[in-house]
Amino acid sequence: MAAVSKYLTAKNSSIAGGVLLALCILTQRRRRGGKSRGSELVLSNEDKAAKKDRAAVDYVFFLRISKILRIMVPRWFCKETGYLLFIAAMLVTRTYCDVWMIQNGTMIESGIISRDCNLVCFVTVHFQFALVNNLLKLGLNELKLKFRERLTKHLYDEYLKGYTYYKMGNLDNRIANADQLLTQDVEKFCNSVVDLYSNLSKPLLDIGLYIFKLTSSIGAQGPSSMMAYLLISGLFLTRLRKPIGKMTVIEQRYEGEYRYVNSRLITNSEEIAFYNGNMREKQTIHSTFKKLVDHLHKFIFFRFSMGFVDSMIAKYMATVVGYLVVSRPFLNLSDPRHMNSTQAELMEDYYQSGRMLLSLAQALGRIVLAGRDMTRLSGFTMRITELRKVLKDLNSGKYERTMVSHQDKESLGVERITLVPGSGQIINVDHIIKFEHTPLATPNGDVLIKDLTFEVRSGTNVLVCGPNGCGKSSLFRVLGELWPLFGGQLTKPERGKLFYVPQRPYMTIGTLRDQVIYPDTYEEQKRKGISDQVLKEYLGNVQLGHILDREGTWDTVQDWMDVLSGGEKQRMAMARLFYHKPQFAILDECTSAVSVDVEDFIYSHCRTVGISLFTVSHRKSLWKHHEYYLHMDGRGNYDFKPITEETIEFGS
């Protein structure tokens, strides 16, 4: 022990740390040089995916997390700052409690042996220790909740701005499971940030205090040796932990896929049941779950291996180094303390110094182990950053999607044209819808109609017909500004003056009143001056007055998706249309479950209240309610003509 301890001097420790740091810098420069030489090569899809998944503790990580922290702590004076300061104060208090225990523990133990010990004071102090520990836990939990609240509100403000929530799932394919990112990943990120703050702050405070105490007790050689060990072990373990960030990203992606296939089973349970598709869905779920389990097995084994190395280096070896360092002045017989202290005083001095240095070693070990948490945090940080980037792009009108290449189009015999999303011009004018030389194309680049030109003014109803896949729904998505305009000019009213009624209407969570006035709130209904009596008339117009009589009040809350039948939901959607009174309405097979006489009354009432209609339907009985028809043949051609007695009616 003495032979080893005498070499643990400040000079030797500094030399060892400097040499290791120089070797680390040279290795990093060589690695970067190799990357720059290979950067001229074109990256394959696999290389790009691997680059996208890269998550490591580096400059990019600190840049990413600093931007997110500015969201969670927006000002110097806010509740989050108060909690951060409160936690720091509790950590300082707990550190001083630990020092008090080290300094007074020897006296307590000596008093017990000599049968002269007053434990009342000792017990009283421990009540204070318990209070400090639990106040610290309270502050940490509150800070996690505040961070999650701030970040969640910020992300949902961006996600629910305009039609971004629709565009993320239908126009952009960079993020597959936004729901998991907005819920689980945000929670895990906030918890990891706060845990890392706690796991770093307490050891750093301990290190500062114990270095000060030990320097005055055994000299600067001991603390400097421990710091050199921290540098060496930290660099070594950081290199070994690199895969954790990427494995965390992959784990969260597989978790999202597994959650998605389960939600699909719930959403489409009726259709699956009719097809007897339970065994096929079981196979899909098991396949997705197996992919997740296989990855988790690899991750668990890697964490086991890293846990073993972490424990050996950051815990047990640090303790051994601590014993070697603290024993040096006591094994040196020429040290002044051997001449001026008794054996009992030497024992007490050694005991206190040893306890402090062991605590210092443990604090250094926690700093090293915090690198593991930081590496995992880098994975969550990358996913949150990716979500923020996609939201920012979508809100600025940019999206990324796998487009059909020109080579693929030519091989399929499709005419080659240039598609630039958002290159068309939208002009907002009331009481008119006018397409001028507008290509109708999907976000994936499939051209349905090369040049669409027609004009419809208020008071004119248009029947849209054609085979499946011809572009009927695409036309309405462009009208609703859900899809970008790839060229030409579109003149139309503002978004709020167009209303879409689908075949399967959406029933919101809330009261019976909410089903009629959606997406308005009760306060907005009152501001519009529409009374409940008028809402009752709307229900009567679509023959749903019995719903209000059955429920008894407008404030009844039900699961309306299950309570109302298919026909009742379609008629409720038409009552919603009468409430909003838009200039134009798009009716997409929205009366397929309604009887012909009720359908006839609804269309007549739309004309009475001045709502112009674009209707998709296969019923011949609806032709009499329209003045024009737009027929798409599915091969890129269309006809926009008035309906006359000679017009051949399509449908049944």
Side-chain angles (χ1 to χ4, degrees):
M1 178 74 74
V4 177
S5 298
K6 67 181 182 179
Y7 294 108
L8 292 175
T9 63
K11 181 179 179 181
N12 293 342
S13 301
S14 302
I15 292 173
V19 170
L20 189 69
L21 184 60
L23 288 174
C24 180
I25 293 173
L26 288 173
T27 304
Q28 291 293 330
R29 290 189 63 182
R30 183 179 301 174
R31 188 179 299 115
R32 289 175 184 171
K35 287 182 180 179
S36 63
R37 286 192 297 271
S39 61
E40 298 176 0
L41 300 176
V42 179
L43 292 177
S44 64
N45 292 335
E46 292 79 4
D47 295 330
K48 290 178 181 178
K51 186 176 180 181
K52 180 181 176 182
D53 289 339
R54 184 173 179 270
V57 181
D58 51 14
Y59 171 76
V60 176
F61 162 71
F62 288 108
L63 190 64
R64 288 170 174 170
I65 199 170
S66 63
K67 292 179 180 179
I68 301 176
L69 286 175
R70 283 196 287 270
I71 298 172
M72 298 190 297
V73 187
R75 299 178 300 276
W76 284 104
F77 299 100
C78 60
K79 289 184 178 180
E80 289 78 11
T81 306
Y83 279 115
L84 287 168
L85 294 175
F86 174 77
I87 291 170
M90 291 298 102
L91 289 171
V92 171
T93 305
R94 201 171 80 170
T95 298
Y96 273 100
C97 291
D98 294 340
V99 174
W100 186 92
M101 283 296 300
I102 291 173
Q103 292 178 337
N104 293 274
T106 307
M107 292 185 292
I108 296 293
E109 292 168 357
S110 300
I112 292 174
I113 294 174
S114 61
R115 298 189 181 91
D116 183 19
C117 176
N118 183 10
L119 291 177
V120 176
C121 178
F122 191 70
V123 173
T124 304
V125 170
H126 274 70
F127 278 116
Q128 300 174 12
F129 290 175
L131 178 62
V132 169
N133 288 331
N134 283 279
L135 284 174
L136 177 60
K137 291 179 182 178
L138 173 66
L140 291 172
N141 290 329
E142 282 291 329
L143 185 60
K144 289 176 182 179
L145 189 58
K146 286 293 179 184
F147 277 179
R148 185 182 181 187
E149 183 181 1
R150 287 273 190 189
L151 187 56
T152 299
K153 285 183 177 179
H154 172 81
L155 292 175
Y156 270 106
D157 285 343
E158 297 296 315
Y159 184 63
L160 295 174
K161 184 184 294 183
Y163 298 141
T164 302
Y165 59 93
Y166 172 85
K167 294 176 181 177
M168 180 170 288
N170 295 273
L171 300 185
D172 195 287
N173 58 4
R174 283 176 285 178
I175 292 180
N177 302 294
D179 57 333
Q180 182 186 0
L181 278 162
L182 291 164
T183 53
Q184 291 184 357
D185 284 21
V186 167
E187 179 187 11
K188 291 179 180 179
F189 171 81
C190 295
N191 291 346
S192 298
V193 169
V194 176
D195 289 339
L196 184 64
Y197 172 68
S198 173
N199 294 338
L200 282 177
S201 300
K202 178 65 167 64
L204 288 173
L205 289 170
D206 290 350
I207 289 171
L209 185 59
Y210 289 136
I211 284 178
F212 173 76
K213 294 283 187 181
L214 286 169
T215 300
S216 60
S217 175
I218 62 174
Q221 292 89 346
S224 62
S225 300
M226 293 301 300
M227 295 303 293
Y229 181 78
L230 169 65
L231 175 64
I232 296 170
S233 58
L235 291 174
F236 176 69
L237 291 176
T238 300
R239 182 73 183 93
L240 292 181
R241 293 193 193 108
K242 268 194 170 183
I244 292 180
K246 181 177 179 179
M247 295 177 83
T248 300
V249 173
I250 296 174
E251 176 191 350
Q252 295 307 307
R253 184 193 304 147
Y254 287 168
E255 289 280 7
E257 291 176 3
Y258 179 58
R259 179 176 176 175
Y260 173 67
V261 295
N262 279 279
S263 65
R264 284 181 72 254
L265 178 63
I266 297 171
T267 304
N268 304 289
S269 58
E270 181 177 345
E271 291 85 350
I272 294 170
F274 275 123
Y275 279 114
N276 289 326
N278 54 305
M279 296 307 296
R280 180 66 181 85
E281 295 302 317
K282 180 180 178 182
Q283 181 182 353
T284 302
I285 291 176
H286 281 182
S287 174
T288 307
F289 185 61
K290 184 179 184 303
K291 187 163 60 172
L292 171 63
V293 168
D294 290 343
H295 175 73
L296 289 177
H297 275 311
K298 295 178 183 177
F299 203 178
I300 289 171
F301 183 77
F302 181 79
R303 282 187 290 188
F304 159 75
S305 305
M306 279 306 305
F308 176 76
V309 176
D310 284 342
S311 299
M312 287 299 300
I313 293 177
K315 186 176 180 181
Y316 300 114
M317 288 300 296
T319 303
V320 172
V321 173
Y323 275 122
L324 291 173
V325 169
V326 79
S327 65
R328 185 174 178 275
F330 293 94
L331 294 174
N332 184 7
L333 297 178
S334 61
D335 192 279
R337 73 183 65 207
H338 288 285
M339 305 174 187
N340 304 324
S341 303
T342 64
Q343 190 70 18
E345 290 173 339
L346 285 173
M347 282 294 298
E348 183 177 347
D349 191 11
Y350 175 80
Y351 182 81
Q352 290 187 1
S353 299
R355 288 283 294 273
M356 285 189 184
L357 206 128
L358 282 177
S359 297
L360 174 62
Q362 292 171 359
L364 293 173
R366 289 197 298 273
I367 290 286
V368 174
L369 292 177
R372 176 182 58 194
D373 301 330
M374 193 178 296
T375 306
R376 185 167 175 80
L377 175 62
S378 68
F380 295 123
T381 304
M382 197 205 76
R383 284 177 62 82
I384 299 297
T385 301
E386 183 184 7
L387 175 62
R388 292 186 63 229
K389 180 180 183 301
V390 172
L391 290 174
K392 182 179 178 181
D393 288 348
L394 292 176
N395 283 322
S396 62
K398 303 175 184 176
Y399 69 90
E400 293 181 14
R401 190 177 183 87
T402 305
M403 301 289 284
V404 178
S405 67
H406 292 316
Q407 291 81 1
D408 293 337
K409 291 179 181 179
E410 289 172 353
S411 65
L412 294 173
V414 180
E415 183 180 359
R416 175 175 174 174
I417 64 172
T418 302
L419 291 176
V420 180
S423 60
Q425 183 183 13
I426 297 179
I427 302 174
N428 290 324
V429 178
D430 285 344
H431 305 294
I432 185 173
I433 291 178
K434 184 178 181 181
F435 286 84
E436 297 180 77
H437 306 293
T438 302
L440 190 61
T442 67
N444 197 44
D446 297 323
V447 179
L448 304 174
I449 296 177
K450 181 181 176 181
D451 189 331
L452 182 64
T453 301
F454 69 88
E455 178 181 336
V456 176
R457 294 188 175 272
S458 288
T460 302
N461 294 345
V462 179
L463 186 69
V464 183
C465 50
N468 291 335
C470 66
K472 300 188 296 292
S473 298
S474 302
L475 174 70
F476 298 148
R477 287 166 186 153
V478 172
L479 268 177
E481 299 182 37
L482 299 182
W483 283 8
L485 207 59
F486 287 94
Q489 182 173 291
L490 171 60
T491 304
K492 58 181 283 296
E494 297 176 352
R495 287 180 179 178
K497 298 175 182 178
L498 283 170
F499 204 80
Y500 178 70
V501 184
Q503 184 176 8
R504 298 176 62 183
Y506 173 69
M507 298 290 113
T508 186
I509 298 173
T511 64
L512 176 61
R513 178 188 291 105
D514 292 331
Q515 311 314 309
V516 180
I517 67 176
Y518 182 82
D520 283 359
T521 61
Y522 182 46
E523 290 72 20
E524 290 171 321
Q525 175 197 340
K526 291 191 291 185
R527 280 200 297 269
K528 289 181 177 180
I530 300 177
S531 65
D532 289 347
Q533 181 60 35
V534 176
L535 295 186
K536 185 176 180 180
E537 293 176 5
Y538 294 152
L539 289 183
N541 290 336
V542 296
Q543 299 187 10
L544 284 182
H546 64 281
I547 299 291
L548 180 60
D549 296 335
R550 184 184 70 199
E551 301 298 335
T553 173
W554 285 105
D555 297 320
T556 302
V557 177
Q558 296 273 14
D559 185 355
W560 301 104
M561 292 295 289
D562 291 333
V563 169
L564 300 179
S565 66
E568 287 174 336
K569 281 186 279 193
Q570 287 188 344
R571 282 181 279 164
M572 184 67 74
M574 297 305 296
R576 190 181 294 168
L577 172 66
F578 297 151
Y579 166 82
H580 287 283
K581 291 187 177 66
Q583 294 179 11
F584 290 90
I586 299 168
L587 309 183
D588 191 357
E589 296 279 4
C590 66
T591 55
S592 58
V594 176
S595 61
V596 175
D597 57 332
V598 175
E599 181 184 63
D600 187 68
F601 176 81
I602 290 174
Y603 273 82
S604 299
H605 189 73
C606 285
R607 187 178 294 278
T608 301
V609 297
I611 302 175
S612 301
L613 305 176
F614 275 80
T615 304
V616 176
S617 179
H618 297 287
R619 287 186 176 182
K620 287 185 178 181
S621 58
L622 290 178
W623 282 72
K624 62 184 177 183
H625 296 289
H626 300 80
E627 287 74 39
Y628 281 82
Y629 74 91
L630 175 63
H631 179 256
M632 304 176 184
D633 64 1
R635 294 188 294 272
N637 303 311
Y638 72 95
D639 290 315
F640 181 73
K641 295 180 180 179
I643 297 176
T644 63
E645 294 181 356
E646 290 78 20
T647 301
I648 300 176
E649 298 180 353
F650 305 96
S652 57

